[in-house]
Structures are given as structure tokens and as C-alpha cells.
Amino acid sequence: KFLIVLDDVWDKKYELWQALKSPFMAGAPGSRIIVTTRSMVVALTMGSGKNYELKLLSDDDCWSVFVNHAFEGRDAGTHGNFESTRQRVVEKRKGLPLAARALGGLLRSKQRIDEWRAILDSKI
């Protein structure tokens, strides 16, 4: 029995997908392959399953995910201009929860405002 998660798939080539999944077709009942993608074409190429289209997070929810990972109970207002920081984080994450979590984890150990600015100004 297995669970495989393929995250953020972009390749639309049906023959490659068939070659990848063929060894897993003999899995025990209850085995699953979960694929995440931002492309409906990719989702349809994967076939034979249910598609769930998730919406992006609202700005408030994106900020909440970020704060949870960046501060974990500490006061978020202690990092310079709070509203400016909030706006920059929300813009950079574009409603993607994993991106908000990753940025929060990255900034979690940064204590100086110049470290935060360098990361928020970067192209990552």
C-alpha cells in the first residue's frame, strides 16, 4: 500500500504520466497518488480521479498563515513598520499558503529589520 504526493506538477505530456504511474498500478487497494497543479490541463491529463480547484487565500488569511510561522505567539508588531511589512508579505505571497508558510519560516530567525527588508526585497 502506498501514498505518493506529486506537488506542483506542470508537465502535460500524457505519455510521460502513463510511464510514471504504470509501476504503481499493481498497488494494494487503498493506495493513492495525489497530484497538485495550478493547471487544469495538467489535472485533466492525469485523469481518472476527482479534481478539486482550490482558491487563493485572502490577504487576511495569507497574513495569518505567515504570522503563525514567523512569530509563533510573539508580537508581530515588533518588526519595524507593521503595516508596511504586512503589505509586502501579502504582495509577495500572492495568496499561496505554502509560500506564506515558507516565508514565515525563513523570517522566523531573523531579528534585524534590515534582514527582513533584504528578504522581502529579493526576487525569491
Side-chain angles (χ1 to χ4, degrees), residues 85-105:
T85 301
R86 181 186 193 283
Q87 189 59 36
R88 291 171 77 188
V89 166
V90 167
E91 286 172 8
K92 198 157 197 70
R93 299 308 92 208
K94 297 182 173 106
L96 300 171
L98 187 56
R101 178 182 178 206
L103 183 62

Side-chain angles (χ1 to χ4, degrees), residues 10-109:
W10 282 97
D11 200 305
K12 314 180 247 240
K13 295 181 183 145
Y14 179 75
E15 60 280 356
L16 292 178
W17 170 241
Q18 291 301 308
L20 176 67
K21 78 175 187 176
S22 66
F24 300 106
M25 299 312 291
S31 296
R32 296 286 184 263
I33 299 174
I34 298 173
V35 178
T36 69
T37 182
R38 288 178 259 171
S39 166
M40 187 54 75
V41 172
V42 171
L44 293 171
T45 299
M46 301 293 146
S48 73
K50 295 180 181 174
N51 295 328
Y52 300 95
E53 188 173 351
L54 303 178
K55 304 296 180 206
L56 297 175
L57 293 180
S58 69
D59 288 354
D60 289 339
D61 289 340
C62 187
W63 176 248
S64 178
V65 169
F66 170 79
V67 166
N68 186 44
H69 290 277
F71 299 105
E72 194 174 351
R74 298 185 320 244
D75 181 16
T78 61
H79 282 272
N81 183 336
F82 179 77
E83 192 53 39
S84 172
T85 301
R86 181 186 193 283
Q87 189 59 36
R88 291 171 77 188
V89 166
V90 167
E91 286 172 8
K92 198 157 197 70
R93 299 308 92 208
K94 297 182 173 106
L96 300 171
L98 187 56
R101 178 182 178 206
L103 183 62
L106 179 63
L107 293 176
R108 177 186 192 106
S109 64

